[in-house]
Amino acid sequence: YITKPGEDEKFYPSQVMVIADAILKSELSGKVDEKWVGEWSEYSEDFESLSIDIADKIKEECKQKLEVERYKLMVQVTFGQMKNQGVRITSRCLWDTTTDNYATASYKNEHIWASAVVFGLYTE
């Protein structure tokens, strides 16, 4: 019975961060313009579907490129307008500190900011 991942099967935040960062940049660069941001409430459904698409792409690419078959991956993508305000994204989890971890990536331009948090929880 396997209770711990092998060294080559661990969730490494540095590797996940590279994947998430690349996907955020490729999906958001040049796609979100002033029109979307100016009429933020009218495009809320577009932002919702965009965040789901980005989260799914991050999850799938992590599964394909990394050997984390026994990990449950959860991805949270958050968007906001650039309005000279601060924001803090937090979470709380109960997990095994020897096997479970998380990675974050962010993107910003003159119109929006985006944050992706990827949680990797080892399942026995």
Side-chain angles (χ1 to χ4, degrees):
Y1 189 72
I2 301 170
T3 59
K4 300 278 184 209
E7 201 60 37
D8 60 333
E9 298 172 331
K10 284 189 177 179
F11 180 93
Y12 289 107
S14 58
Q15 295 172 342
V16 176
M17 186 177 67
V18 169
I19 292 170
D21 201 38
I23 291 173
L24 281 176
K25 284 179 185 170
S26 70
E27 292 295 316
L28 296 176
S29 293
K31 294 185 181 176
V32 178
D33 58 12
E34 288 182 57
K35 180 181 172 188
W36 279 40
V37 177
E39 303 296 330
W40 189 263
S41 61
E42 291 181 22
Y43 290 95
S44 62
E45 290 178 7
D46 294 328
F47 277 110
E48 179 183 356
S49 65
L50 183 61
S51 67
I52 291 169
D53 290 343
I54 290 172
D56 289 342
K57 286 180 183 180
I58 291 171
K59 184 193 275 188
E60 287 306 311
E61 190 146 344
C62 286
K63 285 181 179 180
Q64 288 176 3
K65 290 188 174 182
L66 308 174
E67 294 183 30
V68 291
E69 290 85 21
R70 301 208 50 185
Y71 276 86
K72 167 84 172 164
L73 297 178
M74 293 171 282
V75 182
Q76 174 187 350
V77 176
T78 308
F79 291 109
Q81 288 178 292
M82 293 296 274
K83 292 278 191 172
N84 294 325
Q85 299 173 339
V87 67
R88 190 174 302 231
I89 299 171
T90 63
S91 64
R92 293 177 66 167
C93 297
L94 181 62
W95 62 21
D96 182 352
T97 57
T98 61
T99 58
D100 304 337
N101 215 329
Y102 72 98
T104 61
S106 60
Y107 171 86
K108 67 179 177 179
N109 64 21
E110 64 273 6
H111 306 296
I112 66 160
W113 58 265
S115 173
V117 183
V118 183
F119 298 94
L121 304 172
Y122 187 74
T123 56
E124 297 176 351

